Amino acid sequence: MLNDKILGTKSFRRNIPQDTSCPRTFQENLFVPKITFMNTSVVSKSISLPKVLVLTGYGINCEEETAKAFELSGGLPTIVHINDLIENPRMLDDYQIMAFPGGFSYADDTGSGNALANKIKNNIEKEILDFAKQDKLIIGICNGFQILTNLGLVPAKENKYGQRQAVLMHNAHARYECRWIKLKNTSQKCVWTRNIDTIHCPIAHGEGNFYAEKEVIDSLIKNDQIAFKYIKDDNSPANQEFPFNPNGAMLDIAGICDESGRIFGLMPHPERFNSFTNENGWTLEKEKLLREGKELPTLGKGLQVFKNAIEYFTK
Amino acid sequence: MAHRIEVITHVNDTRSEVMRKNLVSEGFKIETAKVLEVYTINKNFNSEEIKKIAEILSNSISQRFKSNEPFKDIDFDFALEIGFLPGVTDNIATTAKESIEEFTKHKFIEEESVHSSTLIFLKGKITEEDTKKIGNILANKLIQRISVKDKTSFEKDDGMGLSIPKVHLSSEIEITKVDLNISEEELLKLGKEGILNHDGTRRGPLALEKDYLYAIKEYFEKEGRSPTDIELESLAQTWSEHCKHTIFAAEIDDGERTARARASEESSSASSERREPIDKDGLYKGYIKKATIDIRNKKGKDDFCVSVFSDNSGAIIFDENYLITDKAETHNSPSALDPFGGAITGIVGVNRDTIGFGKGAKPVLNKYGFCVGLPDDEEPIYRDKDLKEASLAPKRIFEGVIAGVNAGGNQSGIPTPQGFSYFHKDYKGKPLIFVGTVGLIPKMINGQPSHEKSAHNGDKIVMIGGRVGQDGIHGATFSSETLSAGSPATAVQIGDPITQKKFSDAIIKEARELDLYNSITDDGAGGLSSSVAEMAKECGGCQVNLETVPLKYPNLEPWKIWISESQERMTLSIPEEKLQKFMDLMKRRGVEATVIGTFTDSGRCIIKYKGEKIMDISMDFLHNGLPKKTLHTTYTKTERKEKTIPEPENLTNTLLELLKNPNIASTEFIPRQYDHGVQGGAVLGPLHGKGRVMSPASVTKPMIETTKGAVCSQGLYPKYSEIDTYDMAACSIDTAVRNSIAIGGKLSHMALMDNFCWCSSNEPERLGELKAAAKACYDYAVIYETPYISGKDSMFNDFNGFDKNGNAMKISAPPTLLISSLSVMDDVTKAVSLDTKFAGDLVYVLGETREELAGSEYFPEGKNVPKVDAISAKKLYEKVEEAILKNLITSSLSPSHGGLAATFAKKAIAGQLGMEIDLSEISREKDLQRNDFILFSETQSRFVVTIDPKKKEEFEKLFESESFACVGQVLDSNKFTIKGVNGEIVVDTNIKTLEENYKFTFKNY
């Protein structure tokens, strides 16, 4: 079969959870990814669409909606268990994009994202670093961001991939926080935040308090690596004020990229804003639109993050 | 040699700062607190290796570590270390061990281990006594150990020292034969206190009553031998109230049936054709299940039930390809002793009821309900006469269960959009901790209906997930008893959500579609004894080799292995030819899976231990041998006088005070710490509007790509029970139904679940109250055509203990019925939130207001408890549903606890827009003229909605046959005023003041 040498015949993989009653094989997925979403029907054009490896296992738990967000944005996601990746790391060659979804890998034991990063370092560090250095894209969302920082894929000052340079610490109020916040894109460089100025996004984490030493922060600023900052409703800086900055992060940092702008880690969950009806306060927006006689949108604005990644390869 | 690694956080150490603040607020004079993580590694490594290990267990940016020596630069007066007791699940240690193994490429062998603990350095004006007290606040003595050192001895000993909490069990394993030819007194003692040990102690309650004991005695006389300990324990588990629901199954009041009932019974050959409950079938079959059968018959081709009462969850149709499941559980007794552990194992356990539905459903949302004592009640009560075992204070139970559901739900990646907290002084002895999970499963899997499953003769019995230890021994029998000094500490369990997440993913997302098993069920109450024996019913027998069961520590006695309730386990039935593939898959997913026996068709449940047969009971006796009970009920209603109070002059203050009532006030701090957005399908969650007001209902899209939504709500009115349990149940049902309607639920596609939490259910009066509530369950469900699809009951929520003077006391939880509703709405964009949205919108009250204040949050005295007129309510609900589908309603909330006043206020706070209301307009019964009664009556079946003034005509036309009125409008200011029936202003305040009061009570939580 076409993919056997890439996938390894033993490698069991899951597909996007569109229809779990009849799981499509990866091969089928490759050719006819017909996606029906609300009233929109998107049929992908060709085999050349970017392929996305969405990692799962050991408590990662946002893999399905992350895969769905890539799918809705025109990508070809495959959910891969980390043990399968460890067994066959060469499958990475087949992918243009890698996603570390949110979740609770190893229950945050020994530090959030630390144990899963250890698992990667202990088994496939070289292959992941190789992937990071190529002209490919990586995103780490929430727990995925914590994993990326522990792996040293962001901020990777001076291209020192593999060196831990920042940390996401316990929230300033030391409690898990789930709410919607507002973000401002402050980077020209970051591939993932293109075409976004400000955006609402949900956060849900206990350890999102971004910290790095001064020289790292200085270099983040100098190299245009701060991609998302928390802001207030009126778009002014959150200035670490709760709840606008929900965790006390330095400089209101919500997301950073590496020096190339290809590798992106962020605490907020853009994949949870996949539909119009996800957004906090959408019912008010709905009433406004209805009274103005306008149609309701279907998709959520968070998908722009994923579209940017797909367009990096297709445009 | 063992090693000790200590890790300190040196930047942004918020945890230490929060610890200091919390201790200060508890009254301790603490200047600084410093929290360290400690790993004790019981394996040989050299100092270079241990340093490398410390590096991977800590963060190089924010933390420093010491190996085998303490930090010397910390200023402190006392050091306090909290670790686990031997044998208690230590999740952090498990993770650390795995990281170390992969890093060093060396596996730990059986005697080697890792243990985690927390070390706290305290500085301040405190004594050693204070430090111990702090230890007792932070730790739970049932599962944790504390050690304290002052600075001098810490320095002298060079640190806290090494301590390895290992379980040492006697290696002499003996199967005890239990002689049942003993006096009746001895026999009863055996049932109450358990099997006698050699040392004269007893093993803990079997909770077997007299007639059960005689049935067992008779069975073994026929078998010609005495039972073994494991046989007796197994029967006790299987026959427990917790597992068999003996009270709900018992024939109730037979022989006292009304002449009418008997006549109709005789006139009808098939009992299911009669639309009324049947006493002789008991409360479950004759009332609850009967309601479902009658509704399904009536709905005919529109019946949406698929699997009801037969599996771990109930299931209804979601759409043409999927089923949606629901289940709610309680974890009351464990939560009373260890709130965190009780709640986390509760939520993770009810998740398994989803994973264990049919071939395995995916959990898509969690629900909670916390019924606890009054949060400011600090009067101690004790489980023992010597006043040594104090019960936990309500506030501590509350905080513990919140944290438990937080850890369980968040770590499992299941959103928690739905829940409530309710406070009553009589939940002090025994809290009620409800947890529920909704699941999704394709209708067909591999060409077979997914809800059907069956273990086959010859299938292997496979246990997956966690290992078995002493934890949770006697959980099933314990929760069937009241809480007292004898309650076993081993009943406490610790959750490990990640272990479960791993197998949940491996089963639902992989093995299920690969068709690798024939049947699956949860290892819950009763452990293997329950799961294996239940599945064995499907094929007719089983044989288990207990020595193959993986253990947390060696030398666990066979009877304990069989009934242990160690968490995060499931049992599967796997055909021989698929076994290898299944085991390989589990290994690749980091899931421990073990073949422990074979399903058979022998008609016997046979257990061997190292070759020796230690249990051999007929399947029929095991499952059907328990004598059927007949229960006698009485229900004497005390004559209540209608009391009254003068109408307060200032209703503004009354309203503001009411908003501080814990049953009305915002508990926003709970949903804020519960992930309600994971899985990407959040539509309307726990908080609505700019003002973030708690919603009693939620909408979730379990599949991102469709527009269908799962609408959930809950209803309960414990205070009404004192007056009339029939009306209490009616109001609970009506509330669960109408909250769902208010947000966009669909009455013709709505199912219910009943969770009865009763007290003293061996007393005829309590049973009479129960029967009345069950009658309401039947009557109202049948009218609304909302079938019950699953349910659970917990019958002994009593506390038998002592007050601070050593006087015996009993606190019974108020008879409580939680009704949960699950509805499927076709298009989530139609959902309506509760917040007002535009100034100028009109405010309507739909439904009639009556003087029904008894049991209310405002004035609980009196006798007029709200009564539900379901026939007219149903008409109204159908109209509201239609109005919502036509986009006529802009915001909607139905009054419940706190009546119209609380509802108006909540809507205004949520919208952050003013409101003016005129009470004289409100549609109400003729004589109702008191402003306070109109505002605070808890009459059911009403809605407060706002609408676009342009739609006034269309809206009013739709409701013309209903009782309703336009009562005010939304303002473009922050003013909130209510005009009384005589035109005078009776409430005059503003949004900010309302909000401050609504958010006052729990603002420091």
Side-chain angles (χ1 to χ4, degrees):
Chain A
M1 294 294 284
L2 175 66
N3 288 291
D4 278 359
K5 68 173 183 290
I6 305 163
L7 307 179
T9 43
K10 275 165 73 188
S11 180
F12 179 83
R13 45 194 59 229
R14 278 193 277 130
N15 277 291
I16 37 180
Q18 190 179 20
D19 182 0
T20 43
S21 67
C22 174
R24 289 169 300 159
T25 65
F26 183 73
Q27 286 86 340
E28 282 165 351
N29 192 13
L30 199 65
F31 295 111
V32 262
K34 184 167 181 297
I35 302 149
T36 314
F37 183 73
M38 293 186 180
N39 303 318
T40 0
S41 183
V42 186
V43 182
S44 68
K45 284 173 286 186
S46 72
I47 188 170
S48 67
L49 291 180
K51 290 164 73 176
V52 190
L53 188 153
V54 180
L55 199 67
T56 192
Y58 293 89
I60 290 175
N61 61 35
C62 300
E63 74 279 9
E64 293 194 350
E65 56 270 35
T66 303
K68 182 59 78 179
F70 278 109
E71 189 190 56
L72 292 169
S73 307
L76 286 175
T78 310
I79 295 168
V80 178
H81 194 279
I82 182 159
N83 286 348
D84 291 350
L85 183 61
I86 288 170
E87 190 175 281
N88 179 20
R90 296 272 32 103
M91 74 165 79
L92 282 169
D93 297 344
D94 198 37
Y95 292 90
Q96 285 80 50
I97 301 170
M98 183 166 183
F100 292 81
F104 252 102
S105 58
Y106 288 98
D108 283 355
D109 297 341
T110 77
S112 58
N114 186 46
L116 198 83
N118 274 330
K119 191 171 187 70
I120 291 173
K121 283 193 266 191
N122 290 333
N123 292 286
I124 47 168
E125 185 173 34
K126 184 184 168 300
E127 289 85 353
I128 295 289
L129 292 181
D130 282 351
F131 190 97
K133 289 170 191 166
Q134 295 171 52
D135 187 18
K136 293 184 171 184
L137 300 179
I138 298 178
I139 188 169
I141 301 169
C142 196
N143 190 223
F145 184 20
Q146 294 159 344
I147 294 168
L148 289 192
T149 54
N150 279 305
L151 282 175
L153 295 186
V154 283
K157 180 166 94 67
E158 291 160 6
N159 291 320
K160 285 184 180 151
Y161 293 106
Q163 186 190 80
R164 187 196 276 133
Q165 297 172 347
V167 55
L168 292 145
M169 308 195 59
H170 282 276
N171 293 350
H173 60 26
R175 187 185 268 174
Y176 191 94
E177 183 78 30
C178 178
R179 59 165 64 237
W180 281 71
I181 44 80
K182 198 171 183 187
L183 299 169
K184 182 162 183 65
N185 174 13
T186 52
S187 168
Q188 301 294 311
K189 176 183 276 177
C190 181
V191 171
W192 295 84
T193 54
R194 287 173 183 171
N195 309 307
I196 295 171
D197 176 25
T198 64
I199 186 172
H200 278 121
C201 240
I203 55 108
H205 59 250
E207 300 181 30
N209 185 353
F210 184 89
Y211 171 86
E213 281 165 17
K214 188 172 179 304
E215 50 171 353
V216 175
I217 294 286
D218 289 345
S219 125
L220 281 174
I221 296 167
K222 195 180 105 210
N223 291 314
D224 188 26
Q225 284 173 260
I226 302 173
F228 273 150
K229 280 190 175 191
Y230 301 110
I231 54 172
K232 292 185 181 176
D233 292 337
D234 63 2
N235 295 351
S236 63
N239 274 334
Q240 296 199 300
E241 187 185 324
F242 185 85
F244 311 104
N245 172 339
N247 49 41
M250 290 177 94
L251 297 178
D252 301 324
I253 289 174
I256 57 167
C257 58
D258 70 336
E259 289 186 9
S260 76
R262 296 175 296 105
I263 306 178
F264 181 39
L266 75 167
M267 289 314 298
H269 285 276
E271 82 284 7
R272 296 185 185 181
F273 190 6
N274 53 64
S275 304
F276 169 66
T277 54
N278 286 138
E279 190 175 10
N280 200 23
W282 70 270
T283 49
L284 177 59
E285 186 63 22
K286 172 181 87 167
E287 274 301 311
K288 265 185 206 156
L289 292 168
L290 286 175
R291 291 183 191 196
E292 290 164 6
K294 290 181 182 160
E295 290 243 329
L296 305 184
T298 51
L299 296 178
K301 291 174 185 162
L303 292 179
Q304 188 61 46
V305 170
F306 306 92
K307 276 188 199 135
N308 288 333
I310 302 305
E311 286 174 1
Y312 183 76
F313 297 101
T314 55
K315 265 198 175 168
Chain B
M1 163 202 156
H3 305 272
R4 182 178 164 99
I5 296 170
E6 297 183 3
V7 180
I8 193 169
T9 301
H10 63 81
V11 289
N12 285 352
D13 188 7
T14 51
R15 272 186 311 171
S16 294
E17 180 51 21
V18 168
M19 169 85 72
R20 184 194 67 81
K21 274 190 200 154
N22 288 345
L23 293 177
V24 168
S25 77
E26 292 275 350
F28 297 100
K29 295 195 172 85
I30 303 284
E31 286 160 32
T32 60
K34 195 74 201 166
V35 184
L36 278 72
E37 294 148 25
V38 180
Y39 301 92
T40 301
I41 297 166
N42 178 29
K43 179 176 168 68
N44 257 333
F45 288 109
N46 65 35
S47 62
E48 200 49 40
E49 286 170 325
I50 212 71
K51 199 171 151 259
K52 284 261 193 287
I53 288 168
E55 276 171 15
I56 68 162
L57 297 179
S58 59
N59 190 299
S60 48
I61 310 283
S62 56
Q63 295 179 318
R64 291 183 289 131
F65 62 82
K66 289 277 182 195
S67 47
N68 295 326
E69 57 166 334
F71 283 98
K72 303 243 161 65
D73 53 353
I74 298 172
D75 187 15
F76 72 100
D77 295 313
F78 288 95
L80 163 68
E81 184 158 343
I82 301 171
F84 288 110
L85 287 172
V88 174
T89 306
D90 184 345
N91 296 323
I92 297 174
T94 307
T95 300
K97 185 176 131 192
E98 192 178 323
S99 293
I100 298 167
E101 283 182 335
E102 290 202 342
F103 179 70
T104 60
K105 315 284 181 214
H106 284 297
K107 285 268 177 202
F108 281 59
I109 57 169
E110 200 166 273
E111 304 83 72
E112 298 170 339
S113 54
V114 179
H115 307 274
S116 78
S117 51
T118 305
L119 177 59
I120 304 160
F121 291 104
L122 298 167
K123 184 170 172 56
K125 288 197 181 102
I126 47 165
T127 61
E128 182 155 344
E129 232 6 76
D130 289 336
T131 313
K132 282 184 182 153
K133 254 191 232 164
I134 291 170
N136 288 332
I137 290 173
L138 298 175
N140 185 333
K141 283 202 282 190
L142 296 176
I143 53 169
Q144 288 167 311
R145 66 204 153 91
I146 61 170
S147 59
V148 171
K149 279 188 186 180
D150 62 20
K151 195 166 175 108
T152 318
S153 51
F154 184 91
E155 280 167 358
K156 195 175 103 231
D157 304 343
D158 198 26
M160 296 302 283
L162 277 172
S163 160
I164 296 161
K166 294 213 88 170
V167 177
H168 299 286
L169 297 178
S170 158
S171 56
E172 274 178 46
I173 288 176
E174 187 191 358
I175 309 297
T176 314
K177 292 251 177 193
V178 184
D179 186 5
L180 298 182
N181 285 315
I182 45 180
S183 69
E184 180 163 309
E185 191 191 348
E186 274 297 305
L187 202 60
L188 294 179
K189 203 164 176 185
L190 173 70
K192 184 86 188 155
E193 293 171 21
I195 297 167
L196 197 62
N197 287 320
H198 288 310
D199 62 2
T201 57
R202 298 245 175 200
R203 290 187 186 176
L206 293 168
L208 289 168
E209 291 174 16
K210 186 172 144 188
D211 48 343
Y212 289 13
L213 289 159
Y214 276 105
I216 294 170
K217 190 174 167 182
E218 192 186 326
Y219 173 81
F220 283 100
E221 272 166 9
K222 265 190 243 154
E223 293 275 310
R225 63 183 176 87
S226 293
T228 60
D229 51 2
I230 186 171
E231 285 175 320
L232 214 47
E233 294 280 358
S234 195
L235 284 163
Q237 294 294 324
T238 311
W239 291 6
S240 66
E241 167 56 36
H242 193 89
C243 292
K244 283 283 184 210
H245 304 279
T246 47
I247 289 169
F248 262 70
E251 178 174 299
I252 204 144
D253 292 334
D254 198 33
E256 294 177 19
R257 277 167 291 152
T258 61
R260 193 172 69 91
R262 236 172 290 163
S264 80
E265 222 170 297
E266 279 151 19
S267 69
S268 162
S269 50
S271 61
S272 65
E273 284 170 20
R274 282 181 299 113
R275 294 229 168 92
E276 63 178 70
I278 304 172
D279 282 352
K280 76 172 165 50
D281 287 346
L283 294 178
Y284 164 60
K285 217 173 135 202
Y287 284 66
I288 305 292
K289 198 172 168 185
K290 180 74 166 48
T292 300
I293 291 169
D294 290 352
I295 293 162
R296 293 185 71 179
N297 285 339
K298 191 171 166 202
K299 284 182 91 84
K301 66 175 176 34
D302 295 326
D303 173 28
F304 51 79
C305 293
V306 177
S307 171
V308 288
F309 298 114
S310 55
D311 206 336
N312 293 304
S313 301
I316 61 172
I317 290 170
F318 179 70
D319 65 12
E320 53 185 14
N321 297 319
Y322 282 84
L323 308 178
I324 191 160
T325 70
D326 205 355
K327 173 64 178 272
E329 270 281 5
T330 49
H331 238 204
N332 306 339
S333 302
S335 301
L337 294 174
D338 173 21
F340 179 85
I344 188 175
T345 54
I347 193 76
V348 176
V350 77
N351 292 161
R352 283 196 305 280
D353 283 326
T354 305
I355 304 164
F357 170 83
K359 285 290 182 72
K362 174 187 155 188
V364 295
L365 69 89
N366 281 337
K367 302 179 281 189
Y368 67 89
F370 303 139
C371 292
V372 294
L374 300 174
D376 53 1
D377 182 351
E378 286 169 7
E379 178 89 15
I381 51 172
Y382 298 86
R383 287 196 294 274
D384 63 327
K385 200 169 172 42
D386 301 335
L387 309 188
K388 284 189 178 136
E389 294 176 36
S391 276
L392 297 174
K395 185 179 175 189
R396 231 186 126 196
I397 292 180
F398 187 42
E399 291 178 335
V401 296
I402 291 167
V405 171
N406 168 322
N410 290 353
Q411 293 185 17
S412 303
I414 301 163
T416 307
Q418 179 70 39
F420 69 88
S421 304
Y422 193 88
F423 305 88
H424 188 292
K425 67 178 175 42
D426 292 337
Y427 290 130
K428 179 179 184 174
K430 196 134 166 205
L432 308 181
I433 305 306
F434 297 96
V435 284
T437 304
V438 173
L440 197 71
I441 184 171
K443 269 185 192 165
M444 303 290 284
I445 296 175
N446 297 311
Q448 301 292 322
S450 65
H451 66 279
E452 290 172 6
K453 58 184 169 188
S454 176
H456 296 186
N457 178 26
D459 281 359
K460 291 296 166 202
I461 305 171
V462 177
M463 186 185 100
I464 61 168
R467 296 185 148 223
V468 175
Q470 300 211 63
D471 35 341
I473 302 284
H474 284 146
T477 49
F478 156 57
S479 59
S480 308
E481 295 263 305
T482 60
L483 201 57
S484 65
S487 299
T490 46
V492 174
Q493 309 144 2
I494 291 219
D496 175 8
I498 298 302
T499 290
Q500 179 156 317
K501 175 71 178 155
K502 286 193 285 186
F503 76 65
S504 167
D505 284 354
I507 294 294
I508 304 163
K509 301 180 181 178
E510 301 192 34
R512 187 182 78 185
E513 264 66 30
L514 293 170
D515 198 20
L516 294 183
Y517 50 89
N518 287 331
S519 190
I520 178 169
T521 203
D522 156 39
D523 286 341
L528 290 172
S529 77
S530 167
S531 69
V532 174
E534 276 296 313
M535 286 170 82
K537 275 203 279 191
E538 297 164 1
C539 56
C542 61
Q543 189 194 304
V544 176
N545 303 313
L546 272 189
E547 75 281 359
T548 57
V549 174
L551 303 179
K552 292 185 181 181
Y553 27 76
N555 302 332
L556 198 60
E557 293 151 279
W559 71 272
K560 288 184 177 170
I561 300 174
W562 186 233
I563 67 165
S564 160
E565 295 182 2
S566 288
Q567 294 290 296
E568 289 86 33
R569 293 181 294 145
M570 296 191 82
T571 301
L572 293 94
S573 146
I574 302 192
E576 186 99 51
E577 68 274 15
K578 293 175 181 170
L579 186 65
Q580 196 53 47
K581 201 170 172 193
F582 179 85
M583 300 301 271
D584 284 349
L585 175 63
M586 291 303 120
K587 195 166 173 228
R588 298 163 64 82
R589 298 299 170 249
V591 176
E592 184 159 13
T594 315
V595 177
I596 62 165
T598 311
F599 286 109
T600 68
D601 60 0
S602 67
R604 312 285 295 182
C605 179
I606 295 171
I607 297 179
K608 291 184 174 177
Y609 185 74
K610 297 185 176 165
E612 186 192 346
K613 195 189 276 183
I614 58 172
M615 171 160 158
D616 184 355
I617 300 183
S618 91
M619 289 292 298
D620 184 52
F621 180 69
L622 183 59
H623 288 295
N624 307 318
L626 76 165
K628 215 167 156 60
K629 285 191 203 174
T630 298
L631 298 175
H632 171 69
T633 75
T634 56
Y635 192 3
T636 328
K637 283 183 204 164
T638 40
E639 194 52 44
R640 288 174 71 97
K641 290 209 177 79
E642 195 54 83
K643 291 186 193 166
T644 194
I645 40 161
E647 183 172 348
E649 279 183 20
N650 186 341
L651 283 175
T652 305
N653 281 346
T654 313
L655 171 59
L656 296 179
E657 280 306 308
L658 190 80
L659 291 175
K660 290 196 237 171
N661 176 325
N663 291 330
I664 294 167
S666 172
T667 49
E668 181 190 335
F669 73 101
I670 301 174
R672 261 178 55 194
Q673 57 176 296
Y674 288 178
D675 189 345
H676 44 268
V678 64
Q679 299 192 10
V683 177
L684 280 176
L687 298 164
H688 288 197
K690 293 173 186 158
R692 300 169 68 85
V693 168
M694 308 275 292
S695 167
S698 61
V699 182
T700 306
K701 256 191 336 173
M703 281 198 295
I704 288 173
E705 62 270 35
T706 78
T707 58
K708 289 232 178 197
V711 186
C712 293
S713 187
Q714 298 153 303
L716 96 172
Y717 288 93
K719 280 189 191 160
Y720 297 179
S721 290
E722 206 181 310
I723 306 159
D724 193 320
T725 53
Y726 181 88
D727 294 322
M728 176 279 290
C731 293
S732 302
I733 294 164
D734 190 64
T735 299
V737 169
R738 95 181 169 267
N739 283 340
S740 175
I741 295 295
I743 204 169
K746 186 172 170 181
L747 191 59
S748 60
H749 200 145
M750 191 185 294
L752 302 180
M753 287 195 303
D754 60 291
N755 281 84
F756 283 89
C757 284
W758 234 247
C759 55
S760 313
S761 298
N762 41 8
E763 295 172 9
E765 274 293 315
R766 291 299 190 190
L767 289 170
E769 292 174 351
L770 180 68
K771 187 179 165 185
K775 176 75 166 62
C777 284
Y778 179 87
D779 292 348
Y780 284 89
V782 166
I783 295 173
Y784 289 141
E785 294 181 31
T786 47
Y788 301 96
I789 57 168
S790 182
K792 204 71 194 263
D793 48 85
S794 163
M795 303 313 293
F796 293 94
N797 292 292
D798 305 280
F799 171 86
N800 287 306
F802 301 87
D803 67 12
K804 64 181 174 188
N805 302 318
N807 300 318
M809 66 184 302
K810 176 177 179 178
I811 307 177
S812 296
T816 303
L817 169 65
L818 171 67
I819 295 286
S820 312
S821 66
L822 172 67
S823 171
V824 178
M825 70 186 293
D826 294 322
D827 178 3
V828 295
T829 65
K830 297 291 180 187
V832 178
S833 59
L834 69 89
D835 50 313
T836 59
K837 297 185 175 63
F838 298 101
D841 279 7
L842 304 175
V843 182
Y844 283 79
V845 175
L846 310 175
E848 187 188 64
T849 300
R850 297 187 291 265
E851 189 182 323
E852 294 178 318
L853 285 109
S856 72
E857 298 297 334
Y858 170 63
F859 182 61
E861 306 298 321
K863 64 177 179 184
N864 282 344
V865 73
K867 293 196 184 300
V868 180
D869 174 358
I871 291 169
S872 61
K874 185 169 184 246
K875 272 175 58 205
L876 180 66
Y877 297 170
E878 284 163 350
K879 296 274 183 197
V880 172
E881 206 180 306
E882 190 182 339
I884 287 176
L885 290 177
K886 288 181 169 164
N887 293 326
L888 294 178
I889 292 179
T890 299
S891 77
S892 153
L893 178 63
S894 89
S896 59
H897 305 278
L900 284 173
T903 310
F904 292 138
K906 285 183 187 181
K907 288 181 68 71
I909 297 165
Q912 294 285 296
L913 290 166
M915 189 183 273
E916 60 181 19
I917 298 292
D918 183 351
L919 294 186
S920 69
E921 298 289 343
I922 285 171
S923 167
R924 59 194 188 275
E925 62 183 355
K926 255 199 340 274
D927 303 334
L928 182 52
Q929 292 302 327
R930 268 182 66 163
N931 295 317
D932 57 339
F933 287 0
I934 298 173
L935 279 172
F936 303 117
S937 165
E938 294 182 4
T939 298
Q940 302 289 302
S941 317
R942 295 175 298 164
F943 299 85
V944 177
V945 303
T946 61
I947 70 160
D948 181 349
K950 285 189 192 132
K951 292 179 176 168
K952 184 174 199 286
E953 207 176 320
E954 192 185 351
F955 178 84
E956 292 191 352
K957 179 134 184 48
L958 179 63
F959 285 93
E960 68 187 354
S961 59
E962 305 302 315
S963 183
F964 80 103
C966 180
V967 302
Q969 64 169 333
V970 179
L971 302 178
D972 190 18
S973 70
N974 65 359
K975 279 187 75 63
F976 182 92
T977 55
I978 297 177
K979 222 191 267 177
V981 289
N982 298 321
E984 75 288 17
I985 298 286
V986 293
V987 173
D988 186 2
T989 180
N990 58 60
I991 302 303
K992 192 159 171 282
T993 309
L994 288 173
E995 184 174 357
E996 277 167 7
N997 282 274
Y998 173 61
K999 297 182 178 176
F1000 175 81
T1001 304
F1002 296 100
K1003 74 169 185 244
N1004 292 325
Y1005 276 71

